[in-house]
PDB file of all heavy atoms in Angstrom:
ATOM      1  N   PHE V   1       0.840  -1.193   0.000  1.00  0.00           N
ATOM      2  CA  PHE V   1       0.000   0.000   0.000  1.00  0.00           C
ATOM      3  C   PHE V   1       0.875   1.242   0.000  1.00  0.00           C
ATOM      4  O   PHE V   1       2.042   1.201   0.376  1.00  0.00           O
ATOM      5  CB  PHE V   1      -0.968   0.018   1.191  1.00  0.00           C
ATOM      6  CG  PHE V   1      -0.342   0.307   2.527  1.00  0.00           C
ATOM      7  CD1 PHE V   1      -0.359   1.586   3.068  1.00  0.00           C
ATOM      8  CD2 PHE V   1       0.256  -0.709   3.263  1.00  0.00           C
ATOM      9  CE1 PHE V   1       0.207   1.848   4.298  1.00  0.00           C
ATOM     10  CE2 PHE V   1       0.823  -0.461   4.500  1.00  0.00           C
ATOM     11  CZ  PHE V   1       0.800   0.835   5.016  1.00  0.00           C
ATOM     12  N   GLY V   2       0.295   2.318  -0.461  1.00  0.00           N
ATOM     13  CA  GLY V   2       1.003   3.592  -0.470  1.00  0.00           C
ATOM     14  C   GLY V   2       0.019   4.718  -0.651  1.00  0.00           C
ATOM     15  O   GLY V   2      -1.103   4.499  -1.106  1.00  0.00           O
ATOM     16  N   ASN V   3       0.465   5.928  -0.271  1.00  0.00           N
ATOM     17  CA  ASN V   3      -0.418   7.067  -0.496  1.00  0.00           C
ATOM     18  C   ASN V   3       0.355   8.353  -0.741  1.00  0.00           C
ATOM     19  O   ASN V   3       1.528   8.460  -0.418  1.00  0.00           O
ATOM     20  CB  ASN V   3      -1.451   7.218   0.622  1.00  0.00           C
ATOM     21  CG  ASN V   3      -0.876   7.495   1.988  1.00  0.00           C
ATOM     22  OD1 ASN V   3       0.289   7.797   2.143  1.00  0.00           O
ATOM     23  ND2 ASN V   3      -1.706   7.386   2.992  1.00  0.00           N
ATOM     24  N   VAL V   4      -0.357   9.296  -1.353  1.00  0.00           N
ATOM     25  CA  VAL V   4       0.191  10.611  -1.644  1.00  0.00           C
ATOM     26  C   VAL V   4      -0.874  11.644  -1.306  1.00  0.00           C
ATOM     27  O   VAL V   4      -2.063  11.415  -1.511  1.00  0.00           O
ATOM     28  CB  VAL V   4       0.642  10.723  -3.123  1.00  0.00           C
ATOM     29  CG1 VAL V   4      -0.522  10.584  -4.089  1.00  0.00           C
ATOM     30  CG2 VAL V   4       1.403  12.022  -3.379  1.00  0.00           C
ATOM     31  N   GLY V   5      -0.416  12.772  -0.770  1.00  0.00           N
ATOM     32  CA  GLY V   5      -1.326  13.856  -0.427  1.00  0.00           C
ATOM     33  C   GLY V   5      -1.460  14.849  -1.565  1.00  0.00           C
ATOM     34  O   GLY V   5      -0.784  14.751  -2.592  1.00  0.00           O
ATOM     35  N   GLU V   6      -2.309  15.829  -1.357  1.00  0.00           N
ATOM     36  CA  GLU V   6      -2.595  16.844  -2.384  1.00  0.00           C
ATOM     37  C   GLU V   6      -1.378  17.718  -2.716  1.00  0.00           C
ATOM     38  O   GLU V   6      -1.348  18.358  -3.752  1.00  0.00           O
ATOM     39  CB  GLU V   6      -3.771  17.723  -1.948  1.00  0.00           C
ATOM     40  CG  GLU V   6      -5.093  16.983  -1.898  1.00  0.00           C
ATOM     41  CD  GLU V   6      -5.540  16.461  -3.262  1.00  0.00           C
ATOM     42  OE1 GLU V   6      -5.413  17.187  -4.265  1.00  0.00           O
ATOM     43  OE2 GLU V   6      -6.021  15.316  -3.324  1.00  0.00           O
ATOM     44  N   THR V   7      -0.400  17.755  -1.832  1.00  0.00           N
ATOM     45  CA  THR V   7       0.796  18.574  -2.077  1.00  0.00           C
ATOM     46  C   THR V   7       1.902  17.795  -2.783  1.00  0.00           C
ATOM     47  O   THR V   7       2.948  18.353  -3.099  1.00  0.00           O
ATOM     48  CB  THR V   7       1.358  19.120  -0.752  1.00  0.00           C
ATOM     49  OG1 THR V   7       1.779  18.013   0.056  1.00  0.00           O
ATOM     50  CG2 THR V   7       0.340  19.962  -0.017  1.00  0.00           C
ATOM     51  N   GLY V   8       1.690  16.492  -2.979  1.00  0.00           N
ATOM     52  CA  GLY V   8       2.714  15.663  -3.603  1.00  0.00           C
ATOM     53  C   GLY V   8       3.598  14.934  -2.610  1.00  0.00           C
ATOM     54  O   GLY V   8       4.611  14.357  -2.985  1.00  0.00           O
ATOM     55  N   TYR V   9       3.203  14.937  -1.342  1.00  0.00           N
ATOM     56  CA  TYR V   9       3.980  14.233  -0.325  1.00  0.00           C
ATOM     57  C   TYR V   9       3.591  12.757  -0.321  1.00  0.00           C
ATOM     58  O   TYR V   9       2.450  12.403  -0.021  1.00  0.00           O
ATOM     59  CB  TYR V   9       3.754  14.841   1.062  1.00  0.00           C
ATOM     60  CG  TYR V   9       4.585  14.189   2.138  1.00  0.00           C
ATOM     61  CD1 TYR V   9       5.966  14.368   2.162  1.00  0.00           C
ATOM     62  CD2 TYR V   9       4.002  13.389   3.111  1.00  0.00           C
ATOM     63  CE1 TYR V   9       6.738  13.761   3.137  1.00  0.00           C
ATOM     64  CE2 TYR V   9       4.768  12.781   4.096  1.00  0.00           C
ATOM     65  CZ  TYR V   9       6.136  12.973   4.101  1.00  0.00           C
ATOM     66  OH  TYR V   9       6.911  12.373   5.053  1.00  0.00           O
ATOM     67  N   LEU V  10       4.548  11.904  -0.690  1.00  0.00           N
ATOM     68  CA  LEU V  10       4.348  10.452  -0.670  1.00  0.00           C
ATOM     69  C   LEU V  10       4.553  10.033   0.788  1.00  0.00           C
ATOM     70  O   LEU V  10       5.683   9.939   1.253  1.00  0.00           O
ATOM     71  CB  LEU V  10       5.352   9.777  -1.607  1.00  0.00           C
ATOM     72  CG  LEU V  10       5.050   8.336  -2.009  1.00  0.00           C
ATOM     73  CD1 LEU V  10       5.786   7.983  -3.282  1.00  0.00           C
ATOM     74  CD2 LEU V  10       5.318   7.359  -0.926  1.00  0.00           C
ATOM     75  N   ASP V  11       3.445   9.842   1.481  1.00  0.00           N
ATOM     76  CA  ASP V  11       3.476   9.642   2.922  1.00  0.00           C
ATOM     77  C   ASP V  11       3.840   8.220   3.314  1.00  0.00           C
ATOM     78  O   ASP V  11       4.600   8.000   4.247  1.00  0.00           O
ATOM     79  CB  ASP V  11       2.109  10.021   3.517  1.00  0.00           C
ATOM     80  CG  ASP V  11       2.111  10.030   5.029  1.00  0.00           C
ATOM     81  OD1 ASP V  11       3.170  10.255   5.635  1.00  0.00           O
ATOM     82  OD2 ASP V  11       1.034   9.818   5.613  1.00  0.00           O
ATOM     83  N   ARG V  12       3.296   7.243   2.607  1.00  0.00           N
ATOM     84  CA  ARG V  12       3.548   5.842   2.966  1.00  0.00           C
ATOM     85  C   ARG V  12       3.765   5.002   1.714  1.00  0.00           C
ATOM     86  O   ARG V  12       3.091   5.195   0.705  1.00  0.00           O
ATOM     87  CB  ARG V  12       2.357   5.276   3.735  1.00  0.00           C
ATOM     88  CG  ARG V  12       2.172   5.903   5.085  1.00  0.00           C
ATOM     89  CD  ARG V  12       1.042   5.230   5.840  1.00  0.00           C
ATOM     90  NE  ARG V  12       0.917   5.808   7.160  1.00  0.00           N
ATOM     91  CZ  ARG V  12       0.062   6.774   7.463  1.00  0.00           C
ATOM     92  NH1 ARG V  12      -0.747   7.256   6.543  1.00  0.00           N
ATOM     93  NH2 ARG V  12       0.008   7.253   8.688  1.00  0.00           N
ATOM     94  N   LEU V  13       4.664   4.037   1.851  1.00  0.00           N
ATOM     95  CA  LEU V  13       4.892   3.049   0.800  1.00  0.00           C
ATOM     96  C   LEU V  13       5.467   1.812   1.481  1.00  0.00           C
ATOM     97  O   LEU V  13       6.620   1.807   1.925  1.00  0.00           O
ATOM     98  CB  LEU V  13       5.869   3.573  -0.260  1.00  0.00           C
ATOM     99  CG  LEU V  13       6.198   2.589  -1.381  1.00  0.00           C
ATOM    100  CD1 LEU V  13       4.950   2.254  -2.209  1.00  0.00           C
ATOM    101  CD2 LEU V  13       7.288   3.157  -2.274  1.00  0.00           C
ATOM    102  N   TYR V  14       4.644   0.771   1.580  1.00  0.00           N
ATOM    103  CA  TYR V  14       5.058  -0.442   2.278  1.00  0.00           C
ATOM    104  C   TYR V  14       4.594  -1.672   1.516  1.00  0.00           C
ATOM    105  O   TYR V  14       3.492  -1.702   0.968  1.00  0.00           O
ATOM    106  CB  TYR V  14       4.485  -0.479   3.708  1.00  0.00           C
ATOM    107  CG  TYR V  14       5.034   0.644   4.544  1.00  0.00           C
ATOM    108  CD1 TYR V  14       4.319   1.823   4.705  1.00  0.00           C
ATOM    109  CD2 TYR V  14       6.282   0.542   5.134  1.00  0.00           C
ATOM    110  CE1 TYR V  14       4.839   2.879   5.447  1.00  0.00           C
ATOM    111  CE2 TYR V  14       6.815   1.589   5.875  1.00  0.00           C
ATOM    112  CZ  TYR V  14       6.086   2.750   6.026  1.00  0.00           C
ATOM    113  OH  TYR V  14       6.615   3.791   6.754  1.00  0.00           O
ATOM    114  N   VAL V  15       5.459  -2.678   1.511  1.00  0.00           N
ATOM    115  CA  VAL V  15       5.171  -3.946   0.844  1.00  0.00           C
ATOM    116  C   VAL V  15       5.308  -5.057   1.883  1.00  0.00           C
ATOM    117  O   VAL V  15       6.210  -5.029   2.732  1.00  0.00           O
ATOM    118  CB  VAL V  15       6.136  -4.178  -0.342  1.00  0.00           C
ATOM    119  CG1 VAL V  15       5.954  -5.560  -0.939  1.00  0.00           C
ATOM    120  CG2 VAL V  15       5.934  -3.092  -1.397  1.00  0.00           C
ATOM    121  N   HIS V  16       4.412  -6.029   1.801  1.00  0.00           N
ATOM    122  CA  HIS V  16       4.445  -7.175   2.712  1.00  0.00           C
ATOM    123  C   HIS V  16       5.820  -7.832   2.636  1.00  0.00           C
ATOM    124  O   HIS V  16       6.390  -8.008   1.552  1.00  0.00           O
ATOM    125  CB  HIS V  16       3.356  -8.178   2.319  1.00  0.00           C
ATOM    126  CG  HIS V  16       3.152  -9.256   3.306  1.00  0.00           C
ATOM    127  ND1 HIS V  16       4.024 -10.322   3.424  1.00  0.00           N
ATOM    128  CD2 HIS V  16       2.184  -9.441   4.249  1.00  0.00           C
ATOM    129  CE1 HIS V  16       3.595 -11.121   4.379  1.00  0.00           C
ATOM    130  NE2 HIS V  16       2.483 -10.603   4.898  1.00  0.00           N
ATOM    131  N   LYS V  17       6.335  -8.211   3.783  1.00  0.00           N
ATOM    132  CA  LYS V  17       7.684  -8.776   3.867  1.00  0.00           C
ATOM    133  C   LYS V  17       7.898  -9.997   2.981  1.00  0.00           C
ATOM    134  O   LYS V  17       9.015 -10.265   2.537  1.00  0.00           O
ATOM    135  CB  LYS V  17       8.033  -9.112   5.312  1.00  0.00           C
ATOM    136  CG  LYS V  17       7.171 -10.195   5.928  1.00  0.00           C
ATOM    137  CD  LYS V  17       7.526 -10.453   7.385  1.00  0.00           C
ATOM    138  CE  LYS V  17       6.657 -11.495   8.030  1.00  0.00           C
ATOM    139  NZ  LYS V  17       6.743 -12.808   7.440  1.00  0.00           N
ATOM    140  N   ASP V  18       6.849 -10.756   2.693  1.00  0.00           N
ATOM    141  CA  ASP V  18       6.972 -11.951   1.862  1.00  0.00           C
ATOM    142  C   ASP V  18       6.845 -11.667   0.367  1.00  0.00           C
ATOM    143  O   ASP V  18       6.935 -12.581  -0.443  1.00  0.00           O
ATOM    144  CB  ASP V  18       5.920 -12.987   2.254  1.00  0.00           C
ATOM    145  CG  ASP V  18       6.095 -13.478   3.686  1.00  0.00           C
ATOM    146  OD1 ASP V  18       7.241 -13.431   4.208  1.00  0.00           O
ATOM    147  OD2 ASP V  18       5.088 -13.889   4.296  1.00  0.00           O
ATOM    148  N   TYR V  19       6.626 -10.396  -0.004  1.00  0.00           N
ATOM    149  CA  TYR V  19       6.409 -10.038  -1.406  1.00  0.00           C
ATOM    150  C   TYR V  19       7.375  -8.955  -1.884  1.00  0.00           C
ATOM    151  O   TYR V  19       7.100  -8.259  -2.860  1.00  0.00           O
ATOM    152  CB  TYR V  19       4.959  -9.574  -1.613  1.00  0.00           C
ATOM    153  CG  TYR V  19       3.966 -10.683  -1.426  1.00  0.00           C
ATOM    154  CD1 TYR V  19       3.471 -11.010  -0.165  1.00  0.00           C
ATOM    155  CD2 TYR V  19       3.539 -11.449  -2.511  1.00  0.00           C
ATOM    156  CE1 TYR V  19       2.572 -12.050   0.009  1.00  0.00           C
ATOM    157  CE2 TYR V  19       2.640 -12.486  -2.345  1.00  0.00           C
ATOM    158  CZ  TYR V  19       2.168 -12.777  -1.082  1.00  0.00           C
ATOM    159  OH  TYR V  19       1.280 -13.812  -0.921  1.00  0.00           O
ATOM    160  N   LEU V  20       8.509  -8.835  -1.205  1.00  0.00           N
ATOM    161  CA  LEU V  20       9.512  -7.853  -1.604  1.00  0.00           C
ATOM    162  C   LEU V  20      10.168  -8.249  -2.920  1.00  0.00           C
ATOM    163  O   LEU V  20      10.193  -9.426  -3.279  1.00  0.00           O
ATOM    164  CB  LEU V  20      10.572  -7.716  -0.511  1.00  0.00           C
ATOM    165  CG  LEU V  20      10.076  -7.209   0.843  1.00  0.00           C
ATOM    166  CD1 LEU V  20      11.189  -7.302   1.873  1.00  0.00           C
ATOM    167  CD2 LEU V  20       9.550  -5.790   0.742  1.00  0.00           C
ATOM    168  N   HIS V  21      10.700  -7.266  -3.622  1.00  0.00           N
ATOM    169  CA  HIS V  21      11.463  -7.472  -4.858  1.00  0.00           C
ATOM    170  C   HIS V  21      10.646  -8.141  -5.961  1.00  0.00           C
ATOM    171  O   HIS V  21      11.165  -8.915  -6.762  1.00  0.00           O
ATOM    172  CB  HIS V  21      12.753  -8.255  -4.581  1.00  0.00           C
ATOM    173  CG  HIS V  21      13.556  -7.658  -3.468  1.00  0.00           C
ATOM    174  ND1 HIS V  21      14.180  -6.441  -3.564  1.00  0.00           N
ATOM    175  CD2 HIS V  21      13.793  -8.092  -2.197  1.00  0.00           C
ATOM    176  CE1 HIS V  21      14.793  -6.153  -2.424  1.00  0.00           C
ATOM    177  NE2 HIS V  21      14.565  -7.143  -1.577  1.00  0.00           N
ATOM    178  N   GLN V  22       9.357  -7.823  -5.991  1.00  0.00           N
ATOM    179  CA  GLN V  22       8.473  -8.333  -7.051  1.00  0.00           C
ATOM    180  C   GLN V  22       7.858  -7.192  -7.859  1.00  0.00           C
ATOM    181  O   GLN V  22       6.913  -7.405  -8.612  1.00  0.00           O
ATOM    182  CB  GLN V  22       7.376  -9.214  -6.445  1.00  0.00           C
ATOM    183  CG  GLN V  22       7.913 -10.460  -5.785  1.00  0.00           C
ATOM    184  CD  GLN V  22       6.812 -11.349  -5.218  1.00  0.00           C
ATOM    185  OE1 GLN V  22       5.674 -11.331  -5.676  1.00  0.00           O
ATOM    186  NE2 GLN V  22       7.155 -12.138  -4.220  1.00  0.00           N
ATOM    187  N   GLY V  23       8.372  -5.969  -7.668  1.00  0.00           N
ATOM    188  CA  GLY V  23       7.887  -4.828  -8.431  1.00  0.00           C
ATOM    189  C   GLY V  23       6.673  -4.136  -7.837  1.00  0.00           C
ATOM    190  O   GLY V  23       6.127  -3.211  -8.449  1.00  0.00           O
ATOM    191  N   ILE V  24       6.246  -4.539  -6.655  1.00  0.00           N
ATOM    192  CA  ILE V  24       5.033  -3.972  -6.054  1.00  0.00           C
ATOM    193  C   ILE V  24       5.255  -2.514  -5.648  1.00  0.00           C
ATOM    194  O   ILE V  24       4.416  -1.651  -5.939  1.00  0.00           O
ATOM    195  CB  ILE V  24       4.559  -4.826  -4.874  1.00  0.00           C
ATOM    196  CG1 ILE V  24       4.153  -6.216  -5.378  1.00  0.00           C
ATOM    197  CG2 ILE V  24       3.405  -4.154  -4.130  1.00  0.00           C
ATOM    198  CD1 ILE V  24       3.950  -7.252  -4.301  1.00  0.00           C
TER     199      ILE V  24
END
């Protein structure tokens, strides 16, 4: 999951530990 605010601030970007390095 990830999100961005109206100002362009990318607040969160996280990938499940078992799905890393798959382009998510």
Side-chain angles (χ1 to χ4, degrees):
F1 73 97
N3 63 12
V4 64
E6 292 297 318
T7 63
Y9 183 70
L10 196 159
D11 188 27
R12 293 184 177 96
L13 178 64
Y14 296 97
V15 173
H16 190 284
K17 64 182 178 62
D18 297 334
Y19 293 86
L20 298 172
H21 309 292
Q22 296 182 26
I24 296 167

